Amino acid sequence: MIPHRSPGSTGSTTGDAATATTAEFCGHCGEPSDVGAGPASDVHHRCGERLAMEPPRYCAACRRRMKVQVTPLGWTAECSRHGMLAP
Amino acid sequence: MTMQPELQANPGPILETARNQVLEQGIGLSESQLLEILRLPDRDLPAALQLAHEVRLRHCGEDVEVEGIISIKTGGCPEDCHFCSQSGLFDSPVRGVWLDIPELVKAAKETAATGATEFCIVAAVRGPDIKLMNQIKFAIDRINEAVDINIACSLGMLTQRQVDQLASWGVHRYNHNLETARSYFPEVVTTHSYEERLDTCNMVKDAGMELCCGALIGMGESLEQRAELAAQLAALEPHEVPLNFLNPRPGTPLENQGIMDGKDALRAIAAFRLAMPRTVLRYAGGRELTLGDLGTKAGLMGGINAVIVGNYLTTLGRPADADLNLLVELNMPIKELQKTL
Ligand code: SF4
Ligand SMILES: [Zn+2]
Ligand SMILES: [Zn+2]
């Protein structure tokens, strides 16, 4: 499984098209992420904290807004290109 | 957040009045009295919470009602509630999406397995259209076939015909929030009026469904307006009041509103309980941010007698186990299922 994570996200992909090699974009704010080049940037530090309390909204690979479904005991986030992310 | 555990020897006169009026006589505080509660100094907060807890135990009992909520239709709402990430009028990252019925039934089963007795189906709409009503009917039937749980709905503003339909389908409780005080409402919502909200609330009650009518505090309203809201809710006599604390959402007009102070939130919990001694007062969204773990416990020992278990509609809550374990620790039994309709 290829990592498809956002800063602070604990999700993993279940889609078969997850071709990203690094998290290019922040799953919370959708701005470019520097994850992979070192520790999470200050810019996205708070985003990382927020991602402990909400699902990612942007695909970390392509910045598409994902279809997110939250249920009482779980969530899924789906990018039309890169597949499904779940906790 | 830290709380002083010791009670003050001489709590303020409003707490003495409240003890006599609310605890002994079961009469909720008036708007001006509630404002005094909301203005209590920090040193009186433990005594206010203690009194609110006694009121809850005396007038509601020790049970805690557990509920799960789920969004059947997320995002794309035509309304402009300034706190809401599901409005289609703001540049919010929340995408429109429908939940399919098998997923809904699965979630209802998972929710029931936590001990929850309430499952509330929510849609981000101004009010339901025929398609949504048909889906709700179908969902209710499938859930009833699969699991024993009370079904509530929150589908926006209703017509009389829709109220009657929901009641006849066995929806036992309907959620429609006032959100904020009448005097602050135009600052927060411009696409519909307070009166329209009240109309739906009153129709729900008249049809014999339980009314769940909530508040969202920390949106920049004054303490006077917070007291006004509690008094307006009390006048409606809802069966349940879910109490939300603003979680500022990206892209909404309130995204830069700070997170509410935890002690103010606890004062509000005590005030709402002292306004409505017999109402189910439920912890709803935003408590994780505003109160954290310590504050969550303080609220449960300060007037709250119901929780939303697990996640909210678009954000995540505390893990279900954290709340359920806390109830065990506090010796608070979960309310058991009583099919009311
Ligand atoms: S009506 Fe409900 S879903 Fe629509 S914007 Fe207002 S709070 Fe959000
Ligand atoms: Zn970010
Ligand atoms: Zn993608």
Side-chain angles (χ1 to χ4, degrees):
Chain A
M1 182 60 62
I2 296 160
H4 187 193
R5 294 163 64 99
S6 319
S9 166
T10 54
S12 60
T13 47
T14 55
D16 56 11
T19 53
T21 51
T22 57
E24 302 272 344
F25 300 99
C26 172
H28 181 66
C29 70
E31 294 302 315
S33 161
D34 64 355
V35 170
S41 70
D42 284 351
V43 189
H44 297 296
H45 182 72
R46 284 204 55 214
C47 297
E49 288 175 355
R50 298 310 290 254
L51 283 170
M53 289 183 278
E54 52 197 275
R57 293 281 163 189
Y58 295 94
C59 175
C62 69
R63 198 184 184 272
R64 276 186 178 80
R65 279 194 308 154
M66 296 192 287
K67 278 166 88 172
V68 177
Q69 286 190 317
V70 180
T71 60
L73 301 178
W75 57 264
T76 58
E78 186 181 0
C79 169
S80 55
R81 175 107 188 269
H82 293 104
M84 186 89 85
L85 195 66
Chain B
M1 188 179 49
T2 54
M3 287 282 305
Q4 297 159 292
E6 325 82 43
L7 298 183
Q8 291 298 117
N10 292 310
I14 182 60
L15 291 179
E16 277 310 309
T17 305
R19 177 167 292 279
N20 179 42
Q21 179 179 325
V22 190
L23 182 66
E24 302 301 338
Q25 300 179 56
I27 301 168
L29 295 185
S30 67
E31 186 175 329
S32 60
Q33 290 173 318
L34 291 168
L35 183 56
E36 287 188 63
I37 298 290
L38 293 171
R39 284 182 173 153
L40 282 174
D42 285 355
R43 68 168 189 277
D44 285 345
L45 179 54
L49 291 167
Q50 168 71 34
L51 176 60
H53 185 53
E54 288 176 51
V55 167
R56 167 260 170 126
L57 290 176
R58 168 100 47 109
H59 295 288
C60 304
E62 59 179 358
D63 290 357
V64 173
E65 194 186 86
V66 177
E67 175 188 53
I69 61 173
I70 193 152
S71 178
I72 189 170
K73 186 250 170 193
T74 304
C77 180
E79 302 304 291
D80 76 342
C81 309
H82 289 15
F83 50 84
C84 182
S85 65
Q86 299 198 63
S87 169
L89 302 177
F90 311 139
D91 188 20
S92 159
V94 173
R95 263 187 72 177
V97 57
W98 285 79
L99 189 68
D100 64 26
I101 302 299
E103 284 295 318
L104 194 76
V105 174
K106 178 169 166 261
K109 285 186 189 166
E110 290 170 354
T111 301
T114 68
T117 52
E118 300 285 322
F119 186 67
C120 185
I121 305 169
V122 185
V125 290
R126 175 181 169 89
D129 58 12
I130 289 179
K131 177 188 168 201
L132 178 58
M133 289 298 280
N134 287 341
Q135 278 214 298
I136 294 294
K137 168 81 171 93
F138 188 67
I140 290 170
D141 290 345
R142 298 294 83 76
I143 292 169
N144 280 335
E145 284 165 10
V147 59
D148 228 5
I149 195 161
N150 285 323
I151 299 173
C153 287
S154 179
L155 314 171
M157 291 177 281
L158 301 177
T159 63
Q160 184 63 55
R161 179 174 152 74
Q162 290 166 336
V163 169
D164 295 340
Q165 283 178 314
L166 291 172
S168 72
W169 298 342
V171 172
H172 95 125
R173 191 177 296 176
Y174 191 82
N175 165 264
H176 198 57
N177 293 343
L178 289 185
E179 308 291 13
T180 194
R182 182 194 293 269
S183 67
Y184 197 59
F185 194 83
E187 305 288 318
V188 179
V189 182
T190 68
T191 48
H192 57 269
S193 68
Y194 208 68
E195 277 60 37
E196 287 176 280
R197 289 208 174 210
L198 283 173
D199 287 347
T200 293
C201 291
N202 285 319
M203 281 191 285
V204 164
K205 280 185 69 176
D206 291 346
M209 282 187 282
E210 291 177 358
L211 173 64
C212 166
C213 185
L216 171 51
I217 59 174
M219 292 197 285
E221 75 281 2
S222 64
L223 292 185
E224 286 81 358
Q225 286 165 326
R226 220 168 272 166
E228 180 193 335
L229 169 60
Q232 282 162 350
L233 281 169
L236 253 184
E237 298 185 351
H239 184 88
E240 172 190 338
V241 172
L243 188 52
N244 298 273
F245 309 96
L246 181 72
N247 177 350
R249 306 313 305 148
T252 65
L254 290 177
E255 71 175 328
N256 294 320
Q257 180 75 36
I259 292 167
M260 185 180 179
D261 174 71
K263 284 185 175 154
D264 283 343
L266 291 173
R267 271 183 274 269
I269 289 170
F272 274 62
R273 172 54 70 205
L274 296 174
M276 293 170 278
R278 293 175 194 82
T279 300
V280 174
L281 185 58
R282 188 182 304 280
Y283 259 147
R287 70 178 149 113
E288 296 76 12
L289 275 177
T290 301
L291 292 168
D293 289 350
L294 265 181
T296 290
K297 192 167 167 178
L300 277 164
M301 295 296 288
I304 295 285
N305 69 332
V307 296
I308 287 175
V309 71
N311 299 328
Y312 303 108
L313 302 175
T314 63
T315 59
L316 308 181
R318 292 182 0 133
D321 283 351
D323 277 344
L324 299 173
N325 291 339
L326 179 57
L327 296 182
V328 171
E329 180 193 325
L330 297 176
N331 248 324
M332 293 182 184
I334 294 177
K335 185 178 166 199
E336 290 181 6
L337 188 69
Q338 297 159 321
K339 282 275 183 184
T340 52
L341 288 174

